[in-house]
C-alpha cells in the first residue's frame, strides 16, 4: 500500500474502533491487526495512541461541523436552521451504528490532565456554539447561542444514557419554545 493509503487505513480502523468500543478499550495491537498493517507502519504515521486519537477527533470534528452546517443551510430563517440541527440529531441517533457523540464519548474516558485532547474536543464544541451564534447573528444573542448549545450537548449525553431519541425531541421542543 502507498503511504497515504496505509495512513488512511489506520485512521479509518482506529476511528471505527474508538467510536464503537471506546478509546481505552481499543488497543494498538487490535488497530494494527484490523487495519492489516505492520506495527512499524502505524508508528511511522503516529508516534503514540494519543496522536492517533488526535487525528480521529480532528477528522470527526470537521465532518460533524460540516454535516451540522449543511443541515442548517437548507433553510433561510434562523429558527428553522436551528430546528434542522436538532432534527438531524434525532435522525442520526436512531441509526443502528450510532453510539453517541464522538467527542462526549472520548472526553468521558480522559484523565483530567489530557489537555491536548481536551483542547481538540473544546474546539469542536466551540464550533457548535459558533454555528448557533452565526445562525442567530441577525438578532445577535450570544447568550441564546450558549443556551442552544447546552440543549444540544445535553440532548446528546442524555440520549447516550437512555439509548432513545426522546431527549433530542425534548430539547427540540424546548428550542421551539425559546425561539
Amino acid at each position: 500500500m502507498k503511504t497515504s493509503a496505509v495512513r488512511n487505513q489506520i485512521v479509518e480502523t482506529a476511528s471505527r474502533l474508538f467510536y464503537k468500543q471506546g478509546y481505552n478499550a481499543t488497543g494498538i495491537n487490535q488497530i494494527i491487526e484490523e487495519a492489516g498493517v505492520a506495527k512499524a507502519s502505524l508508528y511511522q504515521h503516529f508516534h503514540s495512541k494519543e496522536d492517533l486519537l488526535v487525528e480521529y477527533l480532528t477528522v470527526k470534528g470537521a465532518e460533524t461541523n460540516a454535516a451540522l452546517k449543511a443541515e442548517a443551510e437548507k433553510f433561510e430563517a434562523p429558527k428553522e436552521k436551528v430546528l434542522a440541527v436538532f432534527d438531524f440529531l434525532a435522525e442520526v441517533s436512531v441509526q443502528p451504528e450510532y453510539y453517541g457523540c464522538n467527542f462526549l464519548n472520548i472526553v468521558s474516558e480522559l484523565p483530567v490532565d489530557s489537555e491536548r485532547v481536551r483542547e481538540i474536543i473544546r474546539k469542536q464544541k466551540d464550533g457548535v456554539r459558533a454555528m448557533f451564534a452565526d445562525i442567530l447573528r441577525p438578532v445577535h444573542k450570544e447568550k441564546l447561542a450558549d443556551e442552544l448549545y447546552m440543549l444540544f450537548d445535553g440532548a446528546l449525553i442524555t440520549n447516550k444514557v437512555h439509548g432513545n431519541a426522546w431527549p433530542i425531541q425534548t430539547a427540540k421542543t424546548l428550542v421551539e419554545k425559546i425561539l
Side-chain angles (χ1 to χ4, degrees), residues 127-143:
V128 174
R129 289 174 65 207
M131 175 195 66
F132 285 130
D134 287 345
I135 290 170
L136 298 170
R137 192 140 337 268
V139 291
H140 194 63
K141 296 181 179 177
E142 189 170 325
K143 184 178 177 189

Side-chain angles (χ1 to χ4, degrees), residues 18-144:
F18 290 162
Y19 184 60
K20 189 172 183 178
Q21 298 177 176
Y23 175 70
N24 291 330
T26 301
I28 288 293
N29 290 336
Q30 182 185 14
I31 295 168
I32 290 166
E33 182 179 322
E34 292 195 26
V37 299
K39 187 177 264 191
S41 295
L42 184 136
Y43 286 110
Q44 176 185 351
H45 297 286
F46 302 97
H47 297 296
S48 68
K49 184 178 171 187
E50 184 178 278
D51 288 344
L52 190 50
L53 177 62
V54 165
E55 180 67 12
Y56 159 69
L57 292 172
T58 301
V59 169
K60 289 302 172 189
E63 290 174 2
T64 300
N65 291 346
L68 294 173
K69 185 177 178 183
E71 289 301 315
E73 288 179 349
K74 292 178 182 177
F75 297 89
E76 292 295 320
K79 181 177 181 177
E80 281 72 33
K81 288 176 178 268
V82 171
L83 294 176
V85 171
F86 283 86
D87 285 339
F88 177 73
L89 284 184
E91 289 173 26
V92 169
S93 73
V94 296
Q95 294 177 359
E97 295 296 313
Y98 178 74
Y99 301 107
C101 171
N102 306 74
F103 311 96
L104 295 175
N105 291 348
I106 295 298
V107 79
S108 68
E109 293 189 69
L110 291 176
V112 176
D113 63 349
S114 296
E115 192 54 37
R116 178 178 170 214
V117 176
R118 286 182 186 280
E119 182 57 35
I120 292 167
I121 293 169
R122 271 193 295 273
K123 180 180 176 185
Q124 192 279 329
K125 293 301 180 180
D126 284 343
V128 174
R129 289 174 65 207
M131 175 195 66
F132 285 130
D134 287 345
I135 290 170
L136 298 170
R137 192 140 337 268
V139 291
H140 194 63
K141 296 181 179 177
E142 189 170 325
K143 184 178 177 189
L144 180 56

